[in-house]
Amino acid sequence: MEVESVKKNRLKTKSKDKSRNKEDQVHIRFVTKLKKYVLPDSLTVDSSLVPDQLNTLLNEVFKANNIQEQGEFDFLISSCFLRSSLSKHFAEWEISTEKVVEVEFVEKHPPPKPKDCLIHDDWVSAVDVCEKWILTGSYDNMLHIWSLKGQHQLTIPGHTSPLKAVAWISLDDDNASFVSASMDQTCMIWSWDITRNTAECVYICEGHRRGIEAIGINHDKSLLASGAWDTMLYIWSIPDENDGESVAKKGKPGYVNKKKTPKCGMKGHKQAISGIVWSDKTEIITSSWDHTIKIWDAELNGIKHELHSDKSFFDIDYSPLSRAVITGSADQHVRLFDPRSTGIAMKTKFTSHTQWIPSVRWSTVEEYLFISGAYDNIVKLWDTRSIKVPLFDLLGHDDKVLNCNWSNPELIMSGGADNTLRIFKSNCVKH
């Protein structure tokens, strides 16, 4: 009787093992938009596989099929990056395994590499890039122009309080123009003679009653929007030579600039406007310390939509590639919104920073990529298809990150309270 009992138990154990093995298996099919790869047929794999193991498997399949191309890949299942085992991913996103699951592979984004560190005399609070020139603003009230090679070109005095925003307007071989905004309640429009390496303020935009926090220039460079602690959103025409009232600047004989008044002013926010971006020719999106995002009609001078949150917003950016908005906030999250939805619907929240996030910027060439800079001293490079884990942490700052910029697709820049502008080579992959 004992022998028969042992045999029965063994049969039950084998049956359970077979059942467990079947449950641990999943049928997948690799797919890709990368034309250089020939795709294998569907495979049966263990559901415990994690991304590194899946990468090894894919390269082994390529090798077995005499495909010479080997690589490092990330894997997308239902448009989300695989960051755990297959089984956990399927459970989290409620993906059925009754049919063959498509696993899309994409080339891994190479890590950004440190390139330069540009030293300033005070906090680096603003940065913008245009072709081969970098423009920075600092808490010592000064503007600086640098070459992309890190060579300092010019120091520009003029503001009487710390700089909060800068933006290039135009650039040719001999001349350039740009705008700066300051806590001194003014925006200044500058002309830079590149040949002589001299800059002068040609227009002063006056109207704000408290410090200016943010500016945005529209796509054809004809309009400037500014937002400040006085809660006002002002629109200014970017002028020709005959605009404004000519005024001699004190202490500088022969130096002439022109005062400008705003084209229009729009009320709606209740606290400081922290971020401004033009989403099309006549539409402006703003973020504010008053816990709201507002979409404005620049022709009708009114609010089209708004979104309320329970935290202050510190920055905002819009991508024409993804047609989505990202924000930095006081609760350590980056949020992604769809501004086309009624009421501006939040789609995704990205969590990794441990302090306030004062700056966010989209890639100008990759619809899924963006960067965020925070008071935790870190700049993070994100892919919108990876919600919980950023692609990379860009380290180097010894104090809080105040702003970041990705105007040049090849270079990620960030200014900090450690008096430095950090520059990373972004190594964008073009698919």
Side-chain angles (χ1 to χ4, degrees):
M1 293 291 293
E2 285 186 24
V3 174
E4 287 183 8
S5 177
V6 169
K7 284 182 179 180
K8 286 181 181 178
N9 288 334
R10 283 178 180 174
L11 288 172
K12 286 180 181 179
T13 302
K14 286 181 180 180
S15 177
K16 286 181 181 179
D17 288 341
K18 285 181 181 180
S19 175
R20 190 183 297 115
N21 287 337
K22 286 181 181 179
E23 290 175 0
D24 290 343
Q25 301 296 305
V26 61
H27 301 289
I28 66 169
R29 178 183 293 111
F30 286 114
V31 297
T32 189
K33 295 173 184 175
L34 304 171
K35 296 180 180 179
K36 61 184 177 180
Y37 294 102
V38 179
L39 300 176
D41 294 328
S42 61
L43 304 168
T44 301
V45 300
D46 197 300
S47 63
S48 65
L49 289 183
V50 294
D52 285 346
Q53 294 171 316
L54 210 56
N55 191 86
T56 301
L57 172 64
L58 182 58
N59 279 299
E60 286 175 353
V61 171
F62 286 156
K63 189 175 180 181
N65 287 274
N66 297 317
I67 300 172
Q68 299 303 315
E69 294 281 355
Q70 303 287 298
E72 293 290 322
F73 302 101
D74 267 322
F75 301 93
L76 287 158
I77 304 174
S78 294
S79 300
C80 294
F81 275 121
L82 179 67
R83 298 303 188 210
S84 60
S85 67
L86 288 170
S87 57
K88 287 183 179 179
H89 189 90
F90 295 155
E92 181 178 1
W93 297 102
E94 298 181 351
I95 298 168
S96 172
T97 57
E98 292 181 2
K99 297 180 180 179
V100 177
V101 178
E102 287 195 344
V103 178
E104 181 182 355
F105 62 91
V106 298
E107 290 177 336
K108 268 190 177 180
H109 194 293
K113 295 181 180 179
K115 184 178 182 291
D116 278 309
C117 177
L118 308 184
I119 308 297
H120 293 64
D121 292 331
D122 210 331
W123 291 9
V124 182
S125 46
V127 59
D128 194 23
V129 184
C130 184
E131 295 183 17
K132 60 181 180 179
W133 303 112
I134 304 168
L135 177 64
T136 60
S138 177
Y139 260 58
D140 62 4
N141 311 345
M142 297 294 179
L143 290 158
H144 298 272
I145 298 176
W146 313 73
S147 73
L148 283 188
K149 294 181 180 179
Q151 297 171 332
H152 187 261
Q153 299 295 122
L154 188 62
T155 300
I156 307 168
H159 283 287
T160 57
S161 293
L163 275 294
K164 292 309 298 277
V166 296
W168 291 100
I169 299 171
S170 64
L171 177 67
D172 58 34
D173 292 338
D174 301 317
N175 294 280
S177 63
F178 54 88
V179 61
S180 57
S182 167
M183 290 182 185
D184 66 13
Q185 305 176 18
T186 68
C187 292
M188 292 186 174
I189 297 176
W190 302 81
S191 175
W192 177 35
D193 186 323
I194 298 174
T195 305
R196 296 180 180 179
N197 196 28
T198 58
E200 63 179 13
C201 174
V202 291
Y203 294 96
I204 300 178
C205 302
E206 294 184 342
H208 283 293
R209 296 185 177 181
R210 295 186 67 186
I212 299 171
E213 281 289 302
I215 56 176
I217 297 176
N218 71 343
H219 302 297
D220 64 6
K221 312 293 185 181
S222 62
L223 296 173
L224 165 70
S226 62
W229 278 92
D230 61 8
T231 74
M232 291 298 295
L233 176 65
Y234 283 132
I235 309 296
W236 317 77
S237 61
I238 295 180
D240 59 36
E241 294 180 355
N242 299 315
D243 264 357
E245 177 188 348
S246 185
V247 181
K249 193 167 184 179
K250 293 180 181 180
K252 295 194 176 181
Y255 186 102
V256 176
N257 56 48
K258 297 176 181 179
K259 288 185 179 180
K260 282 192 65 63
T261 55
K263 187 177 178 181
C264 69
M266 291 184 276
K267 296 181 180 180
H269 283 296
K270 295 179 180 179
Q271 293 187 43
I273 295 174
S274 56
I276 298 174
V277 63
W278 291 78
S279 52
D280 66 23
K281 188 176 180 180
T282 62
E283 188 175 85
I284 304 169
I285 307 177
T286 58
S287 60
S288 172
W289 280 66
D290 66 9
H291 302 185
T292 69
I293 296 169
K294 299 186 189 298
I295 299 181
W296 307 77
D297 188 315
E299 283 188 334
L300 300 178
N301 301 337
I303 299 169
K304 295 167 67 175
H305 303 293
E306 63 181 33
L307 167 89
H308 295 266
S309 175
D310 58 353
K311 296 292 181 180
S312 295
F313 291 110
F314 296 148
D315 196 20
I316 195 164
D317 198 24
Y318 172 80
S319 169
L321 300 177
S322 63
R323 299 178 70 185
V325 163
I326 49 173
T327 62
S329 192
D331 63 359
Q332 309 166 17
H333 301 301
V334 177
R335 288 175 171 81
L336 186 147
F337 298 90
D338 181 359
R340 295 165 294 174
S341 300
T342 303
I344 326 175
M346 190 190 84
K347 294 178 67 178
T348 313
K349 184 167 67 175
F350 302 86
T351 303
S352 181
H353 283 295
T354 58
Q355 298 289 335
W356 287 9
I357 304 169
S359 189
V360 289
R361 288 294 178 271
W362 282 105
S363 165
T364 57
V365 295
E366 297 277 0
E367 66 175 301
Y368 299 110
L369 301 184
F370 69 88
I371 55 174
S372 59
Y375 279 16
D376 57 14
N377 309 353
I378 300 173
V379 175
K380 292 179 183 286
L381 172 57
W382 296 86
D383 189 302
T384 57
R385 298 164 295 182
S386 180
I387 298 171
K388 297 180 179 179
V389 183
L391 295 183
F392 301 103
D393 286 350
L394 281 59
L395 306 176
H397 283 289
D398 296 324
D399 205 337
K400 52 184 175 285
V401 177
L402 303 175
N403 63 93
C404 53
N405 181 277
W406 206 354
S407 301
N408 183 326
E410 298 179 0
L411 300 172
I412 293 172
M413 301 190 184
S414 57
D418 58 0
N419 301 359
T420 68
L421 180 76
R422 300 276 172 173
I423 304 176
F424 292 81
K425 188 170 177 59
S426 66
N427 297 316
C428 267
V429 178
K430 300 289 179 59
H431 298 310

